[in-house]
Amino acid sequence: MKEITLAPLPYAEDALAPTVTAKTISFHYGKHHAGYVKTLNGLVAGTKYEGMSLEDIVVFSRTAGDTAIFNNAAQIWNHDFYWRSLAPDGKDCEPSPELLAAVDASFGSFDACKAALADAAVKRFGSGWAWLVAKEGKLVVESTPNADTPLGRPGVKPLLVIDVWEHAYYLDWQNARAAYVKAVVDGHLNWVFASGNIK
Ligand code: MN
């Protein structure tokens, strides 16, 4: 049986410190993210979802209303996308000319785009995610609650994501979500990853 696997972290656990410390990543990646993988494999065993790609499980379980399967599958996909949306300070921080042109056309400036993303991340009530996506020829910022994801929505291409579940920042920042978001947006977004996603 082909199981869904936990994708490797794209850097060492301490690579994002002090914004996201190794302690946070050890729980967030090693317990939360890994837990969704284990739970999903248990839920899909013996069902029509067994053997499907993770992306297909997300899309088909959403349509079918299989909520537990959708929540765990989407959380796995969102977390894998989140780890790749982050980078060590000063690394991969330059958008491609193509992405920068799209950012300027949609937001007016790179700083305005980052501010919009940070604002969505801070304002998401409760658990969820803040996304930069390409949609109908322009870039927009969105946020989704809980496990919800833009993956599989027609015409929408996710470029970057910030996790704003408390488990993403509470050990390092306690309740100061805005400070965590600012530190991520100012120094740890992987704009090279985003540039690849817009193609
Ligand atoms: Mn998370």
Side-chain angles (χ1 to χ4, degrees):
M1 181 181 92
K2 181 175 155 261
E3 292 215 316
I4 299 300
T5 55
L6 179 64
L9 263 187
Y11 32 68
E13 287 197 348
D14 63 355
L16 307 175
T19 297
V20 182
T21 61
K23 186 176 183 187
T24 290
I25 292 189
S26 74
F27 282 95
H28 195 180
Y29 174 73
K31 304 289 185 192
H32 291 276
H33 188 174
Y36 297 126
V37 173
K38 185 163 186 273
T39 301
L40 182 68
N41 281 317
L43 287 171
V44 302
T47 74
K48 63 183 176 184
Y49 299 103
E50 190 175 337
M52 278 188 192
S53 69
L54 182 62
E55 289 77 5
D56 281 351
I57 296 174
V58 170
V59 169
F60 291 119
S61 65
R62 186 205 292 277
T63 305
D66 287 328
T67 308
I69 288 176
F70 173 79
N71 283 340
N72 282 278
Q75 281 294 79
I76 296 166
W77 192 88
N78 289 350
H79 279 92
D80 185 38
F81 201 81
Y82 169 65
W83 301 124
R84 291 184 292 150
S85 290
L86 301 181
D89 199 7
K91 192 167 181 289
D92 297 332
C93 52
E94 295 289 335
S96 68
E98 182 191 4
L99 177 57
L100 194 56
V103 162
D104 286 341
S106 300
F107 295 97
S109 70
F110 191 37
D111 281 347
C113 173
K114 290 192 280 190
L117 184 58
D119 191 54
V122 170
K123 287 184 178 160
R124 159 54 47 198
F125 186 78
S127 296
W129 304 83
W131 304 85
L132 178 66
V133 305
K135 189 176 185 176
E136 292 157 5
K138 60 183 297 201
L139 305 189
V140 292
V141 162
E142 297 185 339
S143 80
T144 56
N146 302 315
D148 198 11
T149 181
L151 175 69
R153 295 206 184 276
V156 177
K157 233 189 250 187
L159 304 182
L160 282 178
V161 74
I162 303 173
D163 188 342
V164 292
W165 284 57
E166 284 185 347
H167 64 222
Y169 60 88
Y170 218 84
L171 290 175
D172 300 329
W173 299 91
Q174 292 74 53
N175 61 325
R177 184 195 287 188
Y180 152 74
V181 167
K182 183 178 189 321
V184 166
V185 170
D186 284 352
H188 291 283
L189 288 178
N190 190 330
W191 290 97
V192 172
F193 177 61
S195 301
N197 290 331
I198 201 174
K199 293 199 165 100

Short mmCIF file of all heavy atoms in Angstrom, two decimals, residues 38-92:
data_model
loop_
_atom_site.label_atom_id
_atom_site.label_comp_id
_atom_site.label_asym_id
_atom_site.label_seq_id
_atom_site.Cartn_x
_atom_site.Cartn_y
_atom_site.Cartn_z
N LYS A 38 0.15 10.51 10.19
CA LYS A 38 -0.20 9.22 10.80
C LYS A 38 -1.73 9.06 10.83
O LYS A 38 -2.26 8.00 10.48
CB LYS A 38 0.37 9.19 12.22
CG LYS A 38 0.21 7.90 12.95
CD LYS A 38 1.16 7.84 14.16
CE LYS A 38 1.11 6.48 14.83
NZ LYS A 38 0.07 6.36 15.83
N THR A 39 -2.43 10.12 11.22
CA THR A 39 -3.89 10.05 11.31
C THR A 39 -4.51 9.81 9.93
O THR A 39 -5.41 8.99 9.77
CB THR A 39 -4.46 11.35 11.92
OG1 THR A 39 -3.89 11.51 13.22
CG2 THR A 39 -5.98 11.29 12.04
N LEU A 40 -4.00 10.55 8.92
CA LEU A 40 -4.57 10.40 7.57
C LEU A 40 -4.39 8.97 7.06
O LEU A 40 -5.33 8.39 6.51
CB LEU A 40 -3.93 11.38 6.59
CG LEU A 40 -4.53 11.29 5.18
CD1 LEU A 40 -5.98 11.78 5.16
CD2 LEU A 40 -3.70 12.05 4.16
N ASN A 41 -3.19 8.40 7.26
CA ASN A 41 -2.98 7.04 6.76
C ASN A 41 -3.94 6.06 7.43
O ASN A 41 -4.43 5.13 6.78
CB ASN A 41 -1.52 6.63 6.95
CG ASN A 41 -0.62 7.23 5.87
OD1 ASN A 41 -0.97 7.24 4.70
ND2 ASN A 41 0.53 7.75 6.27
N GLY A 42 -4.24 6.30 8.69
CA GLY A 42 -5.24 5.46 9.37
C GLY A 42 -6.64 5.65 8.80
O GLY A 42 -7.38 4.68 8.60
N LEU A 43 -7.00 6.91 8.51
CA LEU A 43 -8.35 7.20 8.03
C LEU A 43 -8.61 6.68 6.63
O LEU A 43 -9.73 6.28 6.30
CB LEU A 43 -8.58 8.72 8.04
CG LEU A 43 -8.78 9.39 9.40
CD1 LEU A 43 -8.76 10.91 9.24
CD2 LEU A 43 -10.08 8.94 10.06
N VAL A 44 -7.58 6.72 5.76
CA VAL A 44 -7.82 6.34 4.36
C VAL A 44 -7.67 4.84 4.11
O VAL A 44 -8.10 4.35 3.06
CB VAL A 44 -6.93 7.12 3.34
CG1 VAL A 44 -7.14 8.62 3.48
CG2 VAL A 44 -5.47 6.74 3.47
N ALA A 45 -7.08 4.13 5.06
CA ALA A 45 -6.85 2.69 4.86
C ALA A 45 -8.18 1.99 4.55
O ALA A 45 -9.16 2.14 5.28
CB ALA A 45 -6.21 2.09 6.11
N GLY A 46 -8.20 1.27 3.43
CA GLY A 46 -9.40 0.52 3.06
C GLY A 46 -10.50 1.36 2.44
O GLY A 46 -11.60 0.86 2.21
N THR A 47 -10.22 2.65 2.15
CA THR A 47 -11.23 3.50 1.51
C THR A 47 -10.82 3.81 0.07
O THR A 47 -9.72 3.47 -0.36
CB THR A 47 -11.40 4.85 2.24
OG1 THR A 47 -10.26 5.67 1.95
CG2 THR A 47 -11.53 4.65 3.75
N LYS A 48 -11.71 4.52 -0.64
CA LYS A 48 -11.39 4.89 -2.03
C LYS A 48 -10.21 5.85 -2.10
O LYS A 48 -9.64 6.06 -3.17
CB LYS A 48 -12.62 5.55 -2.68
CG LYS A 48 -13.04 6.86 -2.03
CD LYS A 48 -14.31 7.44 -2.65
CE LYS A 48 -14.75 8.68 -1.90
NZ LYS A 48 -16.02 9.24 -2.37
N TYR A 49 -9.84 6.45 -0.98
CA TYR A 49 -8.73 7.42 -0.97
C TYR A 49 -7.36 6.73 -0.87
O TYR A 49 -6.34 7.35 -1.14
CB TYR A 49 -8.88 8.39 0.21
CG TYR A 49 -10.14 9.21 0.15
CD1 TYR A 49 -11.23 8.90 0.96
CD2 TYR A 49 -10.25 10.28 -0.73
CE1 TYR A 49 -12.39 9.66 0.91
CE2 TYR A 49 -11.41 11.03 -0.80
CZ TYR A 49 -12.48 10.72 0.03
OH TYR A 49 -13.63 11.47 -0.04
N GLU A 50 -7.36 5.48 -0.47
CA GLU A 50 -6.09 4.78 -0.29
C GLU A 50 -5.36 4.70 -1.63
O GLU A 50 -5.93 4.32 -2.65
CB GLU A 50 -6.36 3.36 0.24
CG GLU A 50 -5.10 2.66 0.68
CD GLU A 50 -5.39 1.29 1.32
OE1 GLU A 50 -6.52 1.07 1.82
OE2 GLU A 50 -4.48 0.46 1.32
N GLY A 51 -4.07 5.10 -1.62
CA GLY A 51 -3.26 5.05 -2.84
C GLY A 51 -3.32 6.32 -3.68
O GLY A 51 -2.56 6.48 -4.62
N MET A 52 -4.25 7.24 -3.36
CA MET A 52 -4.32 8.51 -4.10
C MET A 52 -3.16 9.41 -3.69
O MET A 52 -2.62 9.28 -2.59
CB MET A 52 -5.61 9.28 -3.74
CG MET A 52 -6.85 8.86 -4.46
SD MET A 52 -8.17 10.07 -4.04
CE MET A 52 -9.59 9.19 -4.66
N SER A 53 -2.83 10.37 -4.57
CA SER A 53 -1.85 11.39 -4.18
C SER A 53 -2.48 12.28 -3.10
O SER A 53 -3.71 12.36 -2.98
CB SER A 53 -1.49 12.26 -5.39
OG SER A 53 -2.60 13.06 -5.78
N LEU A 54 -1.63 12.96 -2.35
CA LEU A 54 -2.14 13.85 -1.31
C LEU A 54 -3.05 14.93 -1.91
O LEU A 54 -4.11 15.25 -1.36
CB LEU A 54 -0.96 14.50 -0.57
CG LEU A 54 -1.34 15.43 0.58
CD1 LEU A 54 -2.09 14.68 1.68
CD2 LEU A 54 -0.09 16.11 1.15
N GLU A 55 -2.63 15.49 -3.05
CA GLU A 55 -3.42 16.55 -3.68
C GLU A 55 -4.81 16.04 -4.06
O GLU A 55 -5.81 16.73 -3.87
CB GLU A 55 -2.70 17.07 -4.93
CG GLU A 55 -1.45 17.89 -4.65
CD GLU A 55 -0.22 17.06 -4.28
OE1 GLU A 55 -0.30 15.79 -4.32
OE2 GLU A 55 0.81 17.66 -3.94
N ASP A 56 -4.86 14.82 -4.61
CA ASP A 56 -6.16 14.25 -4.99
C ASP A 56 -7.02 13.99 -3.76
O ASP A 56 -8.24 14.20 -3.78
CB ASP A 56 -5.97 12.95 -5.78
CG ASP A 56 -5.59 13.21 -7.23
OD1 ASP A 56 -5.65 14.39 -7.67
OD2 ASP A 56 -5.23 12.24 -7.94
N ILE A 57 -6.40 13.53 -2.67
CA ILE A 57 -7.19 13.31 -1.45
C ILE A 57 -7.82 14.62 -0.97
O ILE A 57 -9.00 14.66 -0.63
CB ILE A 57 -6.32 12.69 -0.33
CG1 ILE A 57 -5.83 11.29 -0.73
CG2 ILE A 57 -7.12 12.60 0.98
CD1 ILE A 57 -4.85 10.66 0.27
N VAL A 58 -7.03 15.71 -1.01
CA VAL A 58 -7.55 17.02 -0.59
C VAL A 58 -8.75 17.41 -1.46
O VAL A 58 -9.83 17.76 -0.97
CB VAL A 58 -6.46 18.11 -0.67
CG1 VAL A 58 -7.06 19.50 -0.48
CG2 VAL A 58 -5.37 17.86 0.37
N VAL A 59 -8.58 17.32 -2.77
CA VAL A 59 -9.62 17.77 -3.70
C VAL A 59 -10.87 16.90 -3.59
O VAL A 59 -12.00 17.41 -3.46
CB VAL A 59 -9.07 17.77 -5.14
CG1 VAL A 59 -10.19 17.97 -6.16
CG2 VAL A 59 -8.00 18.85 -5.30
N PHE A 60 -10.70 15.57 -3.60
CA PHE A 60 -11.87 14.69 -3.63
C PHE A 60 -12.58 14.64 -2.27
O PHE A 60 -13.81 14.55 -2.22
CB PHE A 60 -11.48 13.28 -4.11
CG PHE A 60 -11.11 13.25 -5.57
CD1 PHE A 60 -9.84 12.85 -5.98
CD2 PHE A 60 -12.03 13.65 -6.55
CE1 PHE A 60 -9.49 12.84 -7.34
CE2 PHE A 60 -11.69 13.65 -7.90
CZ PHE A 60 -10.42 13.24 -8.29
N SER A 61 -11.83 14.73 -1.17
CA SER A 61 -12.49 14.68 0.14
C SER A 61 -13.24 15.97 0.41
O SER A 61 -14.27 15.97 1.08
CB SER A 61 -11.47 14.39 1.25
OG SER A 61 -10.54 15.44 1.39
N ARG A 62 -12.74 17.08 -0.14
CA ARG A 62 -13.50 18.35 0.02
C ARG A 62 -14.85 18.24 -0.68
O ARG A 62 -15.89 18.54 -0.10
CB ARG A 62 -12.71 19.52 -0.59
CG ARG A 62 -13.36 20.86 -0.32
CD ARG A 62 -13.00 21.92 -1.36
NE ARG A 62 -11.63 22.37 -1.36
CZ ARG A 62 -11.12 23.32 -0.56
NH1 ARG A 62 -11.86 23.87 0.35
NH2 ARG A 62 -9.86 23.66 -0.67
N THR A 63 -14.81 17.76 -1.92
CA THR A 63 -16.05 17.64 -2.70
C THR A 63 -17.02 16.65 -2.05
O THR A 63 -18.22 16.88 -2.03
CB THR A 63 -15.70 17.15 -4.13
OG1 THR A 63 -14.75 18.05 -4.68
CG2 THR A 63 -16.93 17.13 -5.03
N ALA A 64 -16.47 15.56 -1.52
CA ALA A 64 -17.33 14.51 -0.96
C ALA A 64 -17.81 14.85 0.45
O ALA A 64 -18.67 14.16 0.99
CB ALA A 64 -16.55 13.19 -0.93
N GLY A 65 -17.24 15.90 1.04
CA GLY A 65 -17.63 16.24 2.41
C GLY A 65 -17.09 15.26 3.45
O GLY A 65 -17.67 15.12 4.53
N ASP A 66 -15.99 14.60 3.12
CA ASP A 66 -15.34 13.70 4.09
C ASP A 66 -14.41 14.56 4.97
O ASP A 66 -13.19 14.65 4.74
CB ASP A 66 -14.57 12.59 3.37
CG ASP A 66 -15.50 11.56 2.77
OD1 ASP A 66 -16.58 11.32 3.36
OD2 ASP A 66 -15.18 11.00 1.70
N THR A 67 -15.00 15.16 5.98
CA THR A 67 -14.34 16.24 6.71
C THR A 67 -13.07 15.82 7.42
O THR A 67 -12.06 16.53 7.38
CB THR A 67 -15.32 16.85 7.73
OG1 THR A 67 -16.51 17.19 7.02
CG2 THR A 67 -14.76 18.10 8.37
N ALA A 68 -13.09 14.69 8.09
CA ALA A 68 -11.90 14.29 8.85
C ALA A 68 -10.74 14.02 7.90
O ALA A 68 -9.59 14.41 8.16
CB ALA A 68 -12.20 13.06 9.70
N ILE A 69 -11.03 13.37 6.79
CA ILE A 69 -9.98 13.09 5.80
C ILE A 69 -9.49 14.39 5.17
O ILE A 69 -8.29 14.63 5.06
CB ILE A 69 -10.49 12.09 4.73
CG1 ILE A 69 -10.60 10.70 5.39
CG2 ILE A 69 -9.58 12.05 3.51
CD1 ILE A 69 -11.18 9.62 4.50
N PHE A 70 -10.43 15.27 4.82
CA PHE A 70 -10.03 16.57 4.25
C PHE A 70 -9.15 17.34 5.23
O PHE A 70 -8.09 17.86 4.86
CB PHE A 70 -11.25 17.42 3.88
CG PHE A 70 -10.87 18.80 3.46
CD1 PHE A 70 -10.38 19.05 2.19
CD2 PHE A 70 -10.91 19.87 4.37
CE1 PHE A 70 -9.97 20.33 1.80
CE2 PHE A 70 -10.51 21.15 3.99
CZ PHE A 70 -10.03 21.38 2.71
N ASN A 71 -9.58 17.43 6.50
CA ASN A 71 -8.83 18.23 7.47
C ASN A 71 -7.39 17.73 7.62
O ASN A 71 -6.45 18.52 7.63
CB ASN A 71 -9.52 18.21 8.83
CG ASN A 71 -10.73 19.12 8.87
OD1 ASN A 71 -10.87 20.03 8.05
ND2 ASN A 71 -11.62 18.86 9.81
N ASN A 72 -7.21 16.44 7.72
CA ASN A 72 -5.86 15.90 7.90
C ASN A 72 -5.03 16.02 6.63
O ASN A 72 -3.85 16.37 6.69
CB ASN A 72 -5.93 14.46 8.41
CG ASN A 72 -6.25 14.40 9.88
OD1 ASN A 72 -5.37 14.56 10.73
ND2 ASN A 72 -7.52 14.22 10.22
N ALA A 73 -5.64 15.74 5.48
CA ALA A 73 -4.90 15.82 4.21
C ALA A 73 -4.51 17.27 3.92
O ALA A 73 -3.38 17.56 3.52
CB ALA A 73 -5.74 15.25 3.07
N ALA A 74 -5.45 18.20 4.11
CA ALA A 74 -5.17 19.61 3.84
C ALA A 74 -4.10 20.13 4.80
O ALA A 74 -3.22 20.89 4.39
CB ALA A 74 -6.44 20.44 3.94
N GLN A 75 -4.16 19.70 6.05
CA GLN A 75 -3.14 20.14 6.99
C GLN A 75 -1.75 19.63 6.58
O GLN A 75 -0.75 20.35 6.73
CB GLN A 75 -3.47 19.68 8.42
CG GLN A 75 -4.52 20.55 9.10
CD GLN A 75 -4.02 21.97 9.35
OE1 GLN A 75 -4.01 22.80 8.45
NE2 GLN A 75 -3.60 22.26 10.56
N ILE A 76 -1.66 18.42 6.07
CA ILE A 76 -0.36 17.91 5.61
C ILE A 76 0.14 18.77 4.44
O ILE A 76 1.29 19.22 4.42
CB ILE A 76 -0.47 16.43 5.16
CG1 ILE A 76 -0.85 15.55 6.34
CG2 ILE A 76 0.85 15.97 4.54
CD1 ILE A 76 -1.31 14.15 5.91
N TRP A 77 -0.74 19.00 3.49
CA TRP A 77 -0.33 19.79 2.32
C TRP A 77 0.03 21.22 2.73
O TRP A 77 1.06 21.76 2.31
CB TRP A 77 -1.44 19.79 1.26
CG TRP A 77 -0.93 20.34 -0.05
CD1 TRP A 77 -0.32 19.64 -1.05
CD2 TRP A 77 -0.91 21.72 -0.42
NE1 TRP A 77 0.07 20.51 -2.04
CE2 TRP A 77 -0.28 21.79 -1.69
CE3 TRP A 77 -1.36 22.89 0.16
CZ2 TRP A 77 -0.09 22.99 -2.38
CZ3 TRP A 77 -1.17 24.10 -0.52
CH2 TRP A 77 -0.54 24.14 -1.78
N ASN A 78 -0.80 21.84 3.58
CA ASN A 78 -0.54 23.22 4.01
C ASN A 78 0.80 23.31 4.75
O ASN A 78 1.56 24.27 4.55
CB ASN A 78 -1.65 23.71 4.95
CG ASN A 78 -2.96 23.96 4.22
OD1 ASN A 78 -3.03 23.94 3.00
ND2 ASN A 78 -4.02 24.17 4.99
N HIS A 79 1.08 22.34 5.61
CA HIS A 79 2.33 22.40 6.37
C HIS A 79 3.55 22.21 5.46
O HIS A 79 4.55 22.89 5.62
CB HIS A 79 2.34 21.38 7.51
CG HIS A 79 1.59 21.86 8.71
ND1 HIS A 79 0.26 21.60 8.91
CD2 HIS A 79 1.98 22.64 9.74
CE1 HIS A 79 -0.14 22.20 10.03
NE2 HIS A 79 0.89 22.83 10.56
N ASP A 80 3.44 21.29 4.52
CA ASP A 80 4.56 21.11 3.60
C ASP A 80 4.80 22.41 2.83
O ASP A 80 5.95 22.84 2.61
CB ASP A 80 4.25 19.95 2.64
CG ASP A 80 5.44 19.64 1.73
OD1 ASP A 80 6.59 19.73 2.22
OD2 ASP A 80 5.23 19.33 0.55
N PHE A 81 3.72 23.07 2.46
CA PHE A 81 3.83 24.35 1.72
C PHE A 81 4.39 25.44 2.63
O PHE A 81 5.17 26.30 2.18
CB PHE A 81 2.44 24.72 1.17
CG PHE A 81 2.49 25.68 0.02
CD1 PHE A 81 2.74 25.23 -1.27
CD2 PHE A 81 2.28 27.04 0.20
CE1 PHE A 81 2.78 26.11 -2.35
CE2 PHE A 81 2.31 27.93 -0.87
CZ PHE A 81 2.57 27.46 -2.14
N TYR A 82 4.00 25.41 3.90
CA TYR A 82 4.49 26.40 4.88
C TYR A 82 6.00 26.27 5.08
O TYR A 82 6.72 27.27 5.04
CB TYR A 82 3.74 26.21 6.19
CG TYR A 82 4.28 26.96 7.40
CD1 TYR A 82 4.26 28.36 7.44
CD2 TYR A 82 4.77 26.28 8.51
CE1 TYR A 82 4.71 29.04 8.57
CE2 TYR A 82 5.22 26.95 9.64
CZ TYR A 82 5.19 28.34 9.66
OH TYR A 82 5.64 29.01 10.78
N TRP A 83 6.48 25.05 5.30
CA TRP A 83 7.94 24.89 5.51
C TRP A 83 8.71 25.41 4.30
O TRP A 83 9.75 26.03 4.44
CB TRP A 83 8.31 23.42 5.79
CG TRP A 83 7.62 22.85 6.99
CD1 TRP A 83 6.83 21.72 7.04
CD2 TRP A 83 7.64 23.36 8.33
NE1 TRP A 83 6.35 21.53 8.31
CE2 TRP A 83 6.83 22.51 9.12
CE3 TRP A 83 8.25 24.47 8.94
CZ2 TRP A 83 6.62 22.73 10.49
CZ3 TRP A 83 8.03 24.69 10.30
CH2 TRP A 83 7.24 23.82 11.05
N ARG A 84 8.17 25.18 3.11
CA ARG A 84 8.86 25.64 1.90
C ARG A 84 8.64 27.13 1.65
O ARG A 84 9.36 27.74 0.86
CB ARG A 84 8.42 24.79 0.70
CG ARG A 84 8.94 23.36 0.80
CD ARG A 84 8.61 22.53 -0.42
NE ARG A 84 7.19 22.28 -0.51
CZ ARG A 84 6.54 22.10 -1.67
NH1 ARG A 84 7.18 22.16 -2.81
NH2 ARG A 84 5.24 21.88 -1.66
N SER A 85 7.65 27.72 2.33
CA SER A 85 7.42 29.18 2.22
C SER A 85 8.39 29.98 3.08
O SER A 85 8.47 31.20 2.95
CB SER A 85 5.99 29.52 2.65
OG SER A 85 5.05 29.05 1.72
N LEU A 86 9.08 29.29 3.98
CA LEU A 86 10.02 29.97 4.88
C LEU A 86 11.45 29.70 4.45
O LEU A 86 11.74 28.71 3.79
CB LEU A 86 9.81 29.47 6.32
CG LEU A 86 8.41 29.68 6.92
CD1 LEU A 86 8.37 29.16 8.36
CD2 LEU A 86 7.99 31.14 6.86
N ALA A 87 12.35 30.61 4.86
CA ALA A 87 13.77 30.44 4.55
C ALA A 87 14.59 31.07 5.67
O ALA A 87 14.11 31.99 6.35
CB ALA A 87 14.10 31.12 3.22
N PRO A 88 15.82 30.60 5.85
CA PRO A 88 16.71 31.25 6.82
C PRO A 88 16.88 32.73 6.47
O PRO A 88 16.78 33.11 5.30
CB PRO A 88 18.03 30.48 6.67
CG PRO A 88 17.63 29.15 6.11
CD PRO A 88 16.44 29.42 5.24
N ASP A 89 17.14 33.54 7.50
CA ASP A 89 17.25 35.00 7.33
C ASP A 89 18.25 35.33 6.21
O ASP A 89 19.38 34.85 6.22
CB ASP A 89 17.70 35.63 8.65
CG ASP A 89 17.39 37.12 8.69
OD1 ASP A 89 16.72 37.62 7.76
OD2 ASP A 89 17.83 37.78 9.65
N GLY A 90 17.83 36.14 5.27
CA GLY A 90 18.74 36.59 4.21
C GLY A 90 18.86 35.63 3.05
O GLY A 90 19.53 35.93 2.06
N LYS A 91 18.21 34.46 3.13
CA LYS A 91 18.31 33.48 2.05
C LYS A 91 17.03 33.48 1.22
O LYS A 91 15.93 33.56 1.78
CB LYS A 91 18.55 32.09 2.66
CG LYS A 91 18.95 31.04 1.65
CD LYS A 91 19.49 29.78 2.35
CE LYS A 91 19.92 28.76 1.33
NZ LYS A 91 18.80 28.14 0.61
N ASP A 92 17.14 33.41 -0.09
CA ASP A 92 15.98 33.28 -0.98
C ASP A 92 14.96 34.40 -0.77
O ASP A 92 13.76 34.19 -0.89
CB ASP A 92 15.30 31.91 -0.79
CG ASP A 92 16.23 30.76 -1.17
OD1 ASP A 92 17.11 30.98 -2.03
OD2 ASP A 92 16.08 29.66 -0.61
#
